[in-house]
Amino acid sequence: MRVLDTTPKQDGFYMPAEFSEHYGCILIFPERSDSWQYGAYAARKAFVKVCEAIAQSEKVTVCASDRQYENARRMLPPHIRVAEMSSNDSWARDYAPTFVTNGQIIRGVNWSFNAWGGLEDGLYFPWDKDDRMARKLCDLYDKSMYDASGFVLEGGSIHSDGEGTILATEACLLSRGRNPELSRAEIEQELKNYLGAQKIVWLPRGIYNDETNEHVDNVCAFTSPGHVVLAWTDDMDDPQYQMSSADLEILENETDARGRKIEVHKVYIPKNPVCITEYELSGFTFEEGEDEREAGERLAASYVNFYITNGGVLIPQFGDVMDEPALKAIGSLFEGRKVYPIYARDIIVGGGNIHCITQQIPQ
Ligand code: KQY
């Protein structure tokens, strides 16, 4: 694998939008017992459903540990590739490479990963195997790699419109556990250099109780150039109200890199907060020193954590009255793509959702 000493921006490469054509998608089979309850049994079944839906229109590779290899091979259909690869957990969005293109060639970007905040407020230790995955995947896919390993970033903290605009949240990218030695302007410059972007739209907040310091991929996403969905509630007593209102104010007063006004489509969060139960909590084994969770704690459940495939859009479902309206609202923005409702409770109890467990490889 060739490691480049230039940046995507210098070479005319940029991060394409998720809604443009994919070659394929990467996932990692879950097994960690402090992330996934009851031996990750239900989580693996949910991951398989996600893989099968994606594989209807793109090539899926699932990375699995040696321990899980036979199980993954048995649970997944033959047209889905299983590659043995070690990891600490299963968040391909955050530590598989961010792929960039010049319209002809695909290359990967290797960021530094520190489990969402390192020793400051990270979620587990160690994270070294996760941090090596981007390099291993560039090798596996035979892609040259840009080395951004001096900069801490997870894929879930950025969204690109493929036309020069990046969405990110201040709560996450300016948090003390990531790049505390860099100013906001320096962080912005790193994003521009390694994503080949011209403009960063900084949203103040993400989703309430998001364990990642509020990744943007739970709260706001591009659905086409100039159009975003924003997780929303009209309930002024809900903590999400202030957070989404702060984001809306920015979006309504911003333009994208091409000077377009950004059109915001609100997608309502579940009406009944999705909370972790006593039974679910009993199924985790936490390691010493790790943050323990409490029964009744609200999970960062948002319909905006969807994944766009070549042929469809996979939308998380929580068994809530807002499930159906979310399918309609998001589905209507992806004309010609099939809507895949995916019951996601067994993923969200792990702390993320469909977008967090997938990473697309552009065509
Ligand atoms: O949402 C994500 N991108 C990752 C969440 C990690 C949770 C670990 N339990």
Side-chain angles (χ1 to χ4, degrees), residues 158-206:
I158 46 168
H159 261 309
S160 169
D161 69 352
E163 298 192 355
T165 319
I166 299 296
L167 286 173
T169 70
E170 292 171 338
C172 178
L173 289 191
L174 307 184
S175 65
R176 282 186 309 164
R178 289 180 172 77
N179 300 288
E181 68 293 351
L182 298 184
S183 67
R184 179 193 169 106
E186 288 167 330
I187 290 173
E188 190 160 321
Q189 198 52 53
E190 288 288 298
L191 295 177
K192 288 178 179 167
N193 290 344
Y194 283 96
L195 299 171
Q198 285 84 51
K199 181 163 185 173
I200 314 301
V201 175
W202 287 98
L203 304 181
R205 303 299 301 268

Coordinates of all heavy atoms in Angstrom, one line a residue, residues 158-206:
I158 N -18.6 13.7 10.4 CA -18.6 14.6 9.2 C -19.6 14.1 8.2 O -19.9 12.9 8.1 CB -17.2 14.6 8.5 CG1 -16.7 13.2 8.4 CG2 -16.2 15.5 9.2 CD1 -15.5 13.0 7.5
H159 N -20.2 15.0 7.4 CA -21.0 14.6 6.3 C -20.6 15.5 5.1 O -20.3 16.7 5.4 CB -22.5 14.9 6.5 CG -23.3 13.6 6.9 ND1 -23.2 12.5 6.2 CD2 -24.1 13.4 7.9 CE1 -24.0 11.6 6.7 NE2 -24.6 12.1 7.8
S160 N -20.5 15.0 3.9 CA -20.1 15.8 2.8 C -21.2 15.9 1.7 O -21.9 14.9 1.5 CB -18.9 15.1 2.1 OG -18.6 15.7 0.9
D161 N -21.3 17.0 1.1 CA -22.3 17.1 0.0 C -21.6 16.8 -1.4 O -22.3 16.8 -2.4 CB -23.0 18.5 -0.1 CG -22.1 19.6 -0.5 OD1 -20.9 19.4 -0.6 OD2 -22.6 20.7 -0.7
G162 N -20.3 16.5 -1.3 CA -19.6 16.1 -2.5 C -19.4 17.3 -3.4 O -18.8 17.2 -4.5
E163 N -19.8 18.5 -3.0 CA -19.6 19.7 -3.8 C -18.9 20.8 -2.9 O -19.2 22.0 -3.1 CB -21.0 20.2 -4.3 CG -21.6 19.1 -5.2 CD -22.8 19.6 -6.0 OE1 -23.2 20.8 -5.8 OE2 -23.3 18.9 -6.9
G164 N -18.1 20.4 -2.0 CA -17.3 21.3 -1.3 C -17.8 21.7 0.1 O -17.1 22.4 0.8
T165 N -18.9 21.2 0.5 CA -19.4 21.5 1.9 C -19.4 20.3 2.8 O -19.7 19.2 2.5 CB -20.9 21.9 1.8 OG1 -21.1 22.7 0.6 CG2 -21.4 22.7 3.0
I166 N -18.9 20.6 4.0 CA -18.9 19.6 5.1 C -19.7 20.1 6.2 O -19.7 21.2 6.7 CB -17.4 19.4 5.6 CG1 -16.5 18.9 4.5 CG2 -17.3 18.4 6.8 CD1 -16.8 17.5 3.9
L167 N -20.5 19.1 6.8 CA -21.3 19.4 8.0 C -20.6 18.8 9.2 O -20.1 17.6 9.1 CB -22.7 18.7 7.9 CG -23.7 19.3 7.0 CD1 -24.9 18.3 7.0 CD2 -24.2 20.7 7.5
A168 N -20.5 19.5 10.3 CA -19.9 18.9 11.5 C -20.5 19.6 12.7 O -21.1 20.7 12.5 CB -18.4 19.2 11.5
T169 N -20.3 19.0 13.9 CA -20.8 19.8 15.1 C -19.6 20.3 15.9 O -18.6 19.6 16.0 CB -21.7 18.9 16.0 OG1 -20.9 17.9 16.6 CG2 -22.8 18.2 15.3
E170 N -19.9 21.5 16.5 CA -18.9 22.0 17.4 C -18.7 21.2 18.6 O -17.6 21.0 19.1 CB -19.3 23.4 17.8 CG -19.3 24.4 16.7 CD -20.0 25.8 17.0 OE1 -20.8 25.8 18.0 OE2 -19.7 26.7 16.3
A171 N -19.9 20.6 19.1 CA -19.8 19.8 20.4 C -18.8 18.7 20.2 O -18.1 18.4 21.2 CB -21.2 19.3 20.7
C172 N -18.8 18.1 19.0 CA -17.9 17.0 18.8 C -16.5 17.4 18.5 O -15.5 17.1 19.2 CB -18.4 16.0 17.8 SG -17.4 14.6 17.4
L173 N -16.3 18.1 17.4 CA -15.0 18.4 16.8 C -14.2 19.3 17.7 O -13.0 19.4 17.6 CB -15.1 18.8 15.4 CG -15.5 17.7 14.4 CD1 -15.2 18.2 12.9 CD2 -14.7 16.4 14.6
L174 N -14.9 20.1 18.5 CA -14.1 21.1 19.3 C -14.0 20.5 20.8 O -13.6 21.2 21.7 CB -14.8 22.4 19.4 CG -15.0 23.1 18.0 CD1 -15.6 24.5 18.1 CD2 -13.7 23.1 17.1
S175 N -14.4 19.2 21.0 CA -14.3 18.7 22.3 C -12.9 18.5 22.8 O -12.0 18.3 21.9 CB -15.1 17.3 22.3 OG -14.4 16.4 21.5
R176 N -12.7 18.4 24.1 CA -11.3 18.4 24.6 C -10.6 17.1 24.4 O -9.4 17.0 24.4 CB -11.3 18.7 26.1 CG -11.5 20.2 26.4 CD -11.4 20.5 27.8 NE -12.3 19.6 28.6 CZ -12.2 19.3 29.9 NH1 -11.2 19.9 30.6 NH2 -13.0 18.5 30.5
G177 N -11.4 16.0 24.1 CA -10.7 14.7 24.0 C -10.2 14.4 22.6 O -9.7 13.3 22.3
R178 N -10.3 15.3 21.6 CA -9.9 15.0 20.3 C -8.6 15.8 19.9 O -7.6 15.2 19.9 CB -11.1 15.3 19.3 CG -12.1 14.2 19.5 CD -13.3 14.3 18.6 NE -14.2 13.2 18.6 CZ -15.1 13.0 19.6 NH1 -15.2 13.8 20.7 NH2 -15.9 11.9 19.5
N179 N -8.7 17.0 19.6 CA -7.5 17.8 19.1 C -7.4 19.1 19.9 O -7.5 20.2 19.4 CB -7.6 18.1 17.6 CG -7.7 16.8 16.8 OD1 -6.8 16.1 16.6 ND2 -8.9 16.6 16.3
P180 N -7.2 18.9 21.3 CA -7.2 20.1 22.1 C -6.1 21.2 21.8 O -6.3 22.3 22.2 CB -7.0 19.5 23.5 CG -6.4 18.2 23.3 CD -6.8 17.7 22.0
E181 N -5.1 20.7 21.1 CA -4.0 21.7 20.9 C -4.3 22.5 19.6 O -3.6 23.4 19.3 CB -2.6 20.9 20.7 CG -2.5 20.0 19.5 CD -3.4 18.7 19.5 OE1 -4.1 18.4 20.5 OE2 -3.4 18.1 18.4
L182 N -5.3 22.2 18.9 CA -5.6 22.9 17.7 C -6.8 23.9 17.9 O -7.7 23.6 18.6 CB -6.0 22.0 16.5 CG -5.0 20.9 16.1 CD1 -5.5 20.1 14.9 CD2 -3.7 21.6 15.7
S183 N -6.7 25.1 17.3 CA -7.8 26.1 17.3 C -8.9 25.6 16.4 O -8.7 24.8 15.5 CB -7.2 27.4 16.9 OG -6.9 27.4 15.5
R184 N -10.0 26.3 16.5 CA -11.1 26.0 15.6 C -10.7 26.2 14.1 O -11.0 25.4 13.2 CB -12.3 26.9 16.0 CG -13.5 26.8 15.1 CD -14.4 28.0 15.5 NE -15.5 28.1 14.5 CZ -16.7 27.8 14.8 NH1 -17.1 27.4 16.0 NH2 -17.6 27.9 13.9
A185 N -9.9 27.3 13.9 CA -9.5 27.6 12.5 C -8.6 26.5 12.0 O -8.6 26.1 10.8 CB -8.8 28.9 12.4
E186 N -7.7 26.0 12.9 CA -6.8 24.9 12.4 C -7.5 23.6 12.2 O -7.2 22.9 11.2 CB -5.7 24.7 13.5 CG -4.7 25.8 13.6 CD -3.8 25.8 14.8 OE1 -4.3 25.3 15.9 OE2 -2.7 26.3 14.7
I187 N -8.5 23.3 13.0 CA -9.4 22.1 12.8 C -10.1 22.2 11.4 O -10.1 21.3 10.6 CB -10.4 21.9 13.9 CG1 -9.6 21.5 15.2 CG2 -11.4 20.9 13.6 CD1 -10.4 21.4 16.5
E188 N -10.6 23.4 11.2 CA -11.3 23.6 9.9 C -10.4 23.4 8.7 O -10.7 22.8 7.7 CB -11.8 25.1 9.9 CG -12.8 25.3 8.8 CD -13.7 26.6 9.1 OE1 -14.2 26.8 10.2 OE2 -13.9 27.2 8.0
Q189 N -9.1 23.9 8.9 CA -8.1 23.7 7.8 C -7.8 22.3 7.5 O -7.7 21.8 6.4 CB -6.9 24.5 8.1 CG -6.0 24.8 6.9 CD -6.7 25.4 5.7 OE1 -7.4 26.4 5.9 NE2 -6.7 24.8 4.6
E190 N -7.7 21.5 8.6 CA -7.4 20.0 8.5 C -8.6 19.4 7.7 O -8.3 18.5 6.8 CB -7.3 19.3 9.8 CG -6.0 19.6 10.6 CD -4.8 19.0 10.0 OE1 -4.8 17.7 9.9 OE2 -3.9 19.7 9.6
L191 N -9.8 19.7 8.1 CA -11.0 19.2 7.4 C -10.9 19.5 5.9 O -11.2 18.7 5.0 CB -12.3 19.7 8.0 CG -12.6 19.3 9.4 CD1 -13.8 19.9 9.9 CD2 -12.7 17.7 9.6
K192 N -10.6 20.8 5.6 CA -10.6 21.2 4.2 C -9.5 20.4 3.4 O -9.7 20.0 2.3 CB -10.4 22.7 4.1 CG -11.6 23.5 4.5 CD -11.3 25.0 4.5 CE -12.6 25.8 4.9 NZ -12.3 27.2 5.1
N193 N -8.3 20.3 4.1 CA -7.2 19.7 3.4 C -7.5 18.2 3.1 O -7.2 17.7 2.0 CB -5.9 19.7 4.3 CG -5.4 21.2 4.4 OD1 -5.7 22.0 3.6 ND2 -4.5 21.4 5.4
Y194 N -8.0 17.5 4.1 CA -8.1 16.0 4.0 C -9.5 15.6 3.4 O -9.7 14.4 3.0 CB -7.9 15.3 5.3 CG -6.4 15.3 5.6 CD1 -5.8 16.2 6.4 CD2 -5.6 14.3 4.9 CE1 -4.4 16.2 6.5 CE2 -4.2 14.3 5.1 CZ -3.6 15.2 5.9 OH -2.2 15.2 6.1
L195 N -10.4 16.5 3.3 CA -11.7 16.2 2.6 C -11.9 16.9 1.3 O -12.9 16.8 0.6 CB -12.9 16.5 3.6 CG -12.8 15.7 4.9 CD1 -13.9 16.2 5.9 CD2 -13.0 14.2 4.7
G196 N -10.9 17.7 1.0 CA -10.9 18.5 -0.3 C -12.1 19.4 -0.3 O -12.8 19.6 -1.4
A197 N -12.4 20.0 0.8 CA -13.6 20.9 0.9 C -13.3 22.3 0.9 O -12.1 22.7 1.2 CB -14.4 20.5 2.2
Q198 N -14.3 23.2 0.6 CA -14.1 24.6 0.7 C -14.8 25.2 1.9 O -14.4 26.3 2.3 CB -14.7 25.3 -0.6 CG -13.8 25.1 -1.8 CD -14.1 23.8 -2.5 OE1 -15.3 23.4 -2.8 NE2 -13.1 23.0 -2.8
K199 N -15.8 24.6 2.4 CA -16.6 25.2 3.5 C -17.0 24.2 4.5 O -17.6 23.2 4.2 CB -17.8 25.9 2.9 CG -18.6 26.7 3.9 CD -19.6 27.7 3.3 CE -20.3 28.5 4.4 NZ -21.1 29.6 3.8
I200 N -16.9 24.6 5.8 CA -17.4 23.8 6.9 C -18.6 24.5 7.5 O -18.5 25.7 7.8 CB -16.4 23.6 8.0 CG1 -15.0 23.3 7.5 CG2 -16.9 22.5 9.0 CD1 -14.9 22.0 6.6
V201 N -19.8 23.8 7.5 CA -20.9 24.4 8.2 C -20.9 23.8 9.6 O -21.1 22.6 9.8 CB -22.2 24.1 7.4 CG1 -23.5 24.5 8.2 CG2 -22.2 24.7 6.0
W202 N -20.7 24.6 10.6 CA -20.6 24.2 12.0 C -22.0 24.2 12.6 O -22.5 25.3 12.9 CB -19.6 25.1 12.8 CG -18.2 24.9 12.4 CD1 -17.5 25.7 11.6 CD2 -17.3 23.9 13.0 NE1 -16.2 25.3 11.5 CE2 -16.0 24.2 12.4 CE3 -17.4 22.9 13.9 CZ2 -14.9 23.4 12.7 CZ3 -16.3 22.1 14.1 CH2 -15.1 22.4 13.6
L203 N -22.5 23.1 13.0 CA -23.8 23.1 13.8 C -23.3 23.0 15.2 O -22.4 22.3 15.6 CB -24.6 21.8 13.4 CG -24.9 21.7 11.9 CD1 -25.8 20.4 11.7 CD2 -25.7 22.9 11.4
P204 N -24.0 23.7 16.1 CA -23.6 23.7 17.5 C -23.7 22.3 18.2 O -22.8 21.8 18.8 CB -24.5 24.7 18.2 CG -25.1 25.5 17.1 CD -25.1 24.7 15.9
R205 N -24.9 21.6 17.9 CA -25.2 20.4 18.7 C -25.6 19.2 17.9 O -25.9 19.3 16.7 CB -26.3 20.7 19.7 CG -26.1 21.9 20.6 CD -24.8 21.7 21.5 NE -25.0 20.5 22.4 CZ -25.4 20.5 23.6 NH1 -25.9 21.7 24.1 NH2 -25.5 19.4 24.3
G206 N -25.6 18.1 18.6 CA -26.0 16.8 17.9 C -27.3 16.3 18.6 O -28.2 17.1 18.9

